Amino acid sequence: MAENDRFETSLGAGWRTAAQYVENENVSPEEVDDKLLEALGKCLRRNNGIPGFQELTLVLNEQAGLSSIGMFAELDEIVRSQLGHRHTKVAARVTMSMLALKHVVGGTMEPMNLGYRLAENVCLALLRHYFFARVQHRMIAKGKFSDHNEFFEWQSGVENSIQPGVSKIAAQLLENPYAADLRAPRKSSKKVPTSVLLKEVLA
């Protein structure tokens, strides 16, 4: 299998188009942002959102009454109850990180908006899992970025710029963690160049 074919098959359809947008110099950063948010929305709908999300939120809310071992055992049980669903695994790791941060900082986290914060963090983790981690080496090899530091700097900028859109998706997940009828935020970019649309159709 050719290298390009292997790269294409490692990404879902929406994520492939986002990668094409990044590589095309005629595409604006706003168009890349919109495509990433659209791909995230599609990915969540296709995979039933975040199974076990409500249970994970309960673990965060129960932090004051559970030992670290008890909390991690509960997270493992939630993942098993969802048959190891990929999004549940990602969400459990995010929950673990939030609990670890609380342990380092000390005290308890505010229960208000805790589920919303979890949903936001999981959305960013899914973007990294499905997109950034998979395109990094190829884009550096193709010369789009000079090295890993430049790529991570770009990634950080993209994550900051799409944060408002991620927050809107997180709010929808809070209402329905299974992503029924979830929609990406309204596009902020202009019309996509014909050359990119042709590539999307051919893909």
Side-chain angles (χ1 to χ4, degrees):
M1 184 182 291
E3 179 182 350
N4 189 63
D5 291 336
R6 286 197 299 269
F7 173 73
E8 294 292 339
T9 55
S10 73
L11 296 168
W15 305 111
R16 283 199 299 271
T17 306
Q20 292 169 357
Y21 276 35
V22 175
E23 293 177 355
N24 191 315
E25 295 181 356
N26 295 320
V27 176
S28 69
E30 290 77 18
E31 288 170 316
V32 173
D33 292 352
D34 287 339
K35 183 54 64 177
L36 284 172
L37 291 170
E38 180 184 323
L40 176 61
K42 287 180 179 178
C43 180
L44 285 163
R45 288 196 303 275
R46 282 197 304 264
N47 293 282
N48 298 316
I50 310 171
F53 175 82
Q54 292 170 325
E55 291 83 354
L56 292 168
T57 302
L58 284 176
V59 174
L60 286 174
N61 282 318
E62 292 172 355
Q63 59 189 295
L66 290 173
S67 66
S68 296
I69 295 177
M71 286 186 288
F72 294 153
E74 282 206 26
L75 295 179
D76 288 340
E77 179 56 34
I78 292 169
V79 172
R80 282 196 296 271
S81 71
Q82 299 299 331
L83 304 178
H85 192 289
R86 179 176 297 181
H87 290 187
T88 309
K89 287 182 178 178
V90 171
R93 288 197 295 267
V94 170
T95 303
M96 233 180 250
S97 297
M98 292 176 68
L99 290 168
L101 180 61
K102 168 259 173 185
H103 178 72
V104 171
V105 174
T108 57
M109 291 179 285
E110 285 291 332
M112 185 179 295
N113 297 324
L114 205 51
Y116 178 67
R117 287 172 55 196
L118 176 61
E120 279 189 317
N121 290 339
V122 172
C123 284
L124 287 173
L126 290 174
L127 280 163
R128 292 163 188 163
H129 173 79
Y130 283 111
F131 185 73
F132 292 116
R134 301 190 186 195
V135 303
Q136 176 185 348
H137 297 295
R138 172 184 167 86
M139 290 187 175
I140 292 173
K142 291 187 69 174
K144 180 68 180 179
F145 301 97
S146 59
D147 54 29
H148 295 286
N149 287 335
E150 185 178 353
F151 178 88
F152 288 133
E153 183 177 349
W154 168 77
Q155 176 182 333
S156 178
V158 172
E159 290 181 0
N160 286 334
S161 65
I162 65 175
Q163 183 60 49
V166 168
S167 296
K168 291 178 181 178
I169 291 177
Q172 293 181 67
L173 286 171
L174 201 58
E175 292 293 323
N176 189 326
Y178 292 97
D181 302 320
L182 185 146
R183 291 292 178 269
R186 183 176 299 177
K187 292 184 178 181
S188 60
S189 59
K190 298 179 181 179
K191 187 177 179 180
V192 179
T194 302
S195 60
V196 176
L197 290 175
L198 286 173
K199 284 185 179 180
E200 182 174 358
V201 171
L202 292 174

